[in-house]
Amino acid sequence: MLSTSDIVAKYGMPGAVPMARIATAYPMKLAWSTDVEVNMIACHPLIATRLQQTFKDLLAYYGIKNIKKYGLDLFGGCYNNRPMRGAEVKYQRLMKQGKIEEAMALLSRHAWGIAIDLDPERNSLKAKADTASFAKKEFEGLHKIFERNGFINYGKVKGYDFMHFEINI
């Protein structure tokens, strides 16, 4: 996994780079409001091509019927300039103290637009392999496609947060 200093060196400070907008390869829905269709995703421009290719590859591998069946069309977010979940108070305290470097380590990778969440309801932040949908065998293709395009999955790396895919190059 990339360290925060690696990310700053390659992708800049969060919020400093205008995000790219990529078209999705298939219609997606907001995970928390499935009547809202998502056709564009904001992400860091340096990952835009890779992320767009990932969705094209997912469509080719699973087909639209299985994309919907498996929840690969449930968009949980990409660019969101915020601290990691649960670190908000500590982040604010460090910022007030002027400890910028320490605070930066608490930022979500979404703050740079280099991570995306899919189907958060069945792959929640705290879900482990025994409960996360994306830990099942039918999602081996999903993981291989993301990995081939330069992404890692927190579930596979950390053992939780299977919804989260982030760039690792």
Side-chain angles (χ1 to χ4, degrees):
M1 288 179 48
L2 297 175
S3 69
T4 301
S5 58
D6 292 336
I7 292 169
V8 170
K10 181 157 187 177
Y11 298 101
M13 295 296 284
V17 176
M19 294 295 112
R21 291 179 54 81
I22 62 166
T24 59
Y26 48 84
M28 299 184 80
K29 301 176 280 191
L30 284 181
W32 57 91
S33 185
T34 57
D35 56 324
V36 177
E37 194 169 287
V38 175
N39 293 307
M40 301 290 286
I41 296 173
C43 65
H44 196 286
L46 293 179
I47 75 156
T49 301
R50 289 177 178 280
L51 188 57
Q52 200 162 34
Q53 186 61 51
T54 300
F55 285 109
K56 288 177 184 176
D57 293 349
L58 288 171
L59 180 58
Y61 184 86
Y62 284 100
I64 194 64
K65 183 178 177 184
N66 283 328
I67 293 254
K68 292 177 180 185
K69 175 182 175 183
Y70 294 138
L72 302 180
D73 63 335
L74 296 173
F75 178 68
C78 188
Y79 173 67
N80 186 355
N81 195 347
R82 62 169 175 79
M84 290 183 274
R85 301 283 182 220
E88 297 88 352
V89 172
K90 187 174 181 182
Y91 172 79
Q92 290 300 329
R93 188 177 67 245
L94 290 169
M95 289 299 284
K96 285 179 185 175
Q97 294 171 349
K99 297 179 180 179
I100 307 300
E101 242 178 83
E102 286 181 60
M104 292 280 290
L106 297 176
L107 284 175
S108 167
R109 299 314 195 215
H110 294 282
W112 283 270
I114 61 169
I116 187 165
D117 292 342
L118 298 176
D119 193 2
E121 188 174 322
R122 290 182 284 196
N123 299 283
S124 70
L125 175 65
K126 295 181 182 182
K128 296 189 165 80
D130 60 336
T131 58
S133 164
F134 288 166
K136 295 177 181 173
K137 185 176 174 85
E138 56 263 36
F139 295 101
E140 287 177 6
L142 168 79
H143 294 290
K144 286 179 184 174
I145 289 166
F146 268 101
E147 289 166 7
R148 185 173 60 234
N149 284 292
F151 293 85
I152 58 168
N153 174 258
Y154 269 18
K156 288 184 73 178
V157 174
K158 294 184 169 191
Y160 63 92
D161 201 5
F162 279 85
M163 73 176 125
H164 183 94
F165 297 86
E166 77 179 47
I167 201 72
N168 194 40
I169 55 172

